[in-house]
Amino acid sequence: MTFTVAFHTLDVPTPDGAADAYLAHPDDGRAHPGVLLFMDAFGLRPWLREMIETIAARGYTVLAPNLFHRTGPAPVLPVPDFTEPGAREKFFADLEPVRKALTPELALRDAGAYLNWLTGSELVVPGGIGVTGYCLGGRLALRVAGEFGPAIAAAASFHGGFLAAEEMSDSPHHTAERIEAEVFLAHAENDHSMPAEQIAVLDKALASAGVEFTSVVYPGAAHGFTMQDIPTWNAEAYERHLSDLFALLERNLSTEAA
């Protein structure tokens, strides 16, 4: 079943000021299961709006906050024209101080505010929340699953990077034993930020912790495969990601509207 979708922009209160956000939900006047979507490094933009509307059309209330709200409202940095020489390198150089402003501690503090907004919204049915993230958002989705335990019913990471970096104290695999959600991990075959060695470490940590999880590598896909507005877009992998995400959400979130 698919729904007609309503879309809004809004400000979500956090301990450090309001975070601008996208919200999409079925336009039927009823409450639906909540999903928190964590953006990739390129931030909130038209393609992210299309993604959350696609998810909402399947019967979910989807909140996508601007993780970089301390720097400014979205778009914090415009998606570059990748045909211009050096455009990608300049974008990530400009992004570095923005990313550093979002410390691991602040990211989790903000996440608590986003979860509070969802659980307190009349648009969301009671029960566990689903979390999905992309690129840096995939990493945050797993960290949130470890931090908030039973509040998270399902957690997905798509082309997440550095998910099992031993040298990083905030690497998600360190808190695997605190995850109560079912976890879905989709890695890109071509992704220097998540090599096979890290995939193996993460899988071992999740299995040792007794987490119910699925870990797959999408063949032929590169980091960023879900994002239509960047060069590594992969239409086949994007559609597979939707199928895998919806299956995860349907297994773990109430499908009953209220």
Side-chain angles (χ1 to χ4, degrees), residues 32 69 74 92 163 175 225 245:
H32 292 266
H69 66 88
F92 281 101
L163 305 182
T175 55
F225 59 78
L245 176 61

PDB file of all heavy atoms in Angstrom, residues 32 69 74 92 163 175 225 245:
ATOM      1  N   HIS A  32       1.621   7.216  12.248  1.00  0.00           N
ATOM      2  CA  HIS A  32       2.306   6.088  11.613  1.00  0.00           C
ATOM      3  C   HIS A  32       3.638   5.831  12.317  1.00  0.00           C
ATOM      4  O   HIS A  32       4.128   6.690  13.063  1.00  0.00           O
ATOM      5  CB  HIS A  32       2.545   6.397  10.127  1.00  0.00           C
ATOM      6  CG  HIS A  32       1.291   6.460   9.317  1.00  0.00           C
ATOM      7  ND1 HIS A  32       0.801   5.383   8.620  1.00  0.00           N
ATOM      8  CD2 HIS A  32       0.395   7.473   9.115  1.00  0.00           C
ATOM      9  CE1 HIS A  32      -0.328   5.720   8.016  1.00  0.00           C
ATOM     10  NE2 HIS A  32      -0.600   6.985   8.297  1.00  0.00           N
ATOM     11  N   HIS A  69      23.491  21.641  11.849  1.00  0.00           N
ATOM     12  CA  HIS A  69      22.727  22.861  12.144  1.00  0.00           C
ATOM     13  C   HIS A  69      23.532  23.887  12.928  1.00  0.00           C
ATOM     14  O   HIS A  69      23.216  25.077  12.883  1.00  0.00           O
ATOM     15  CB  HIS A  69      21.441  22.500  12.896  1.00  0.00           C
ATOM     16  CG  HIS A  69      21.652  21.930  14.265  1.00  0.00           C
ATOM     17  ND1 HIS A  69      21.759  22.713  15.392  1.00  0.00           N
ATOM     18  CD2 HIS A  69      21.781  20.647  14.693  1.00  0.00           C
ATOM     19  CE1 HIS A  69      21.935  21.945  16.453  1.00  0.00           C
ATOM     20  NE2 HIS A  69      21.959  20.687  16.061  1.00  0.00           N
ATOM     21  N   ALA A  74      20.383  24.257   6.304  1.00  0.00           N
ATOM     22  CA  ALA A  74      20.658  23.574   5.041  1.00  0.00           C
ATOM     23  C   ALA A  74      20.199  24.438   3.866  1.00  0.00           C
ATOM     24  O   ALA A  74      19.193  25.145   3.964  1.00  0.00           O
ATOM     25  CB  ALA A  74      19.940  22.232   5.012  1.00  0.00           C
ATOM     26  N   PHE A  92      35.117  18.919   0.142  1.00  0.00           N
ATOM     27  CA  PHE A  92      35.451  18.201   1.364  1.00  0.00           C
ATOM     28  C   PHE A  92      36.436  18.981   2.227  1.00  0.00           C
ATOM     29  O   PHE A  92      36.430  18.838   3.461  1.00  0.00           O
ATOM     30  CB  PHE A  92      35.949  16.793   1.044  1.00  0.00           C
ATOM     31  CG  PHE A  92      34.819  15.853   0.738  1.00  0.00           C
ATOM     32  CD1 PHE A  92      34.493  15.521  -0.571  1.00  0.00           C
ATOM     33  CD2 PHE A  92      34.041  15.333   1.758  1.00  0.00           C
ATOM     34  CE1 PHE A  92      33.438  14.680  -0.850  1.00  0.00           C
ATOM     35  CE2 PHE A  92      32.981  14.494   1.494  1.00  0.00           C
ATOM     36  CZ  PHE A  92      32.667  14.155   0.190  1.00  0.00           C
ATOM     37  N   LEU A 163      32.935   1.984  10.132  1.00  0.00           N
ATOM     38  CA  LEU A 163      32.012   1.406  11.106  1.00  0.00           C
ATOM     39  C   LEU A 163      32.710   0.492  12.101  1.00  0.00           C
ATOM     40  O   LEU A 163      32.114   0.110  13.114  1.00  0.00           O
ATOM     41  CB  LEU A 163      30.906   0.619  10.382  1.00  0.00           C
ATOM     42  CG  LEU A 163      30.096   1.383   9.327  1.00  0.00           C
ATOM     43  CD1 LEU A 163      29.020   0.477   8.743  1.00  0.00           C
ATOM     44  CD2 LEU A 163      29.491   2.651   9.904  1.00  0.00           C
ATOM     45  N   THR A 175      30.209  -0.504  20.695  1.00  0.00           N
ATOM     46  CA  THR A 175      28.985  -0.544  21.518  1.00  0.00           C
ATOM     47  C   THR A 175      27.963  -1.539  20.973  1.00  0.00           C
ATOM     48  O   THR A 175      26.770  -1.435  21.258  1.00  0.00           O
ATOM     49  CB  THR A 175      28.345   0.857  21.610  1.00  0.00           C
ATOM     50  OG1 THR A 175      28.118   1.373  20.284  1.00  0.00           O
ATOM     51  CG2 THR A 175      29.250   1.815  22.375  1.00  0.00           C
ATOM     52  N   PHE A 225      26.236   5.164  -3.284  1.00  0.00           N
ATOM     53  CA  PHE A 225      25.414   4.616  -4.367  1.00  0.00           C
ATOM     54  C   PHE A 225      23.945   5.011  -4.314  1.00  0.00           C
ATOM     55  O   PHE A 225      23.236   4.900  -5.314  1.00  0.00           O
ATOM     56  CB  PHE A 225      25.555   3.100  -4.435  1.00  0.00           C
ATOM     57  CG  PHE A 225      25.154   2.355  -3.182  1.00  0.00           C
ATOM     58  CD1 PHE A 225      23.823   2.126  -2.855  1.00  0.00           C
ATOM     59  CD2 PHE A 225      26.124   1.846  -2.326  1.00  0.00           C
ATOM     60  CE1 PHE A 225      23.465   1.432  -1.713  1.00  0.00           C
ATOM     61  CE2 PHE A 225      25.781   1.135  -1.179  1.00  0.00           C
ATOM     62  CZ  PHE A 225      24.448   0.928  -0.872  1.00  0.00           C
ATOM     63  N   LEU A 245      15.514  -1.895   2.910  1.00  0.00           N
ATOM     64  CA  LEU A 245      15.080  -1.021   3.996  1.00  0.00           C
ATOM     65  C   LEU A 245      13.619  -1.283   4.360  1.00  0.00           C
ATOM     66  O   LEU A 245      13.269  -1.410   5.544  1.00  0.00           O
ATOM     67  CB  LEU A 245      15.279   0.444   3.607  1.00  0.00           C
ATOM     68  CG  LEU A 245      14.768   1.483   4.610  1.00  0.00           C
ATOM     69  CD1 LEU A 245      15.475   1.343   5.955  1.00  0.00           C
ATOM     70  CD2 LEU A 245      14.920   2.885   4.058  1.00  0.00           C
TER      71      LEU A 245
END
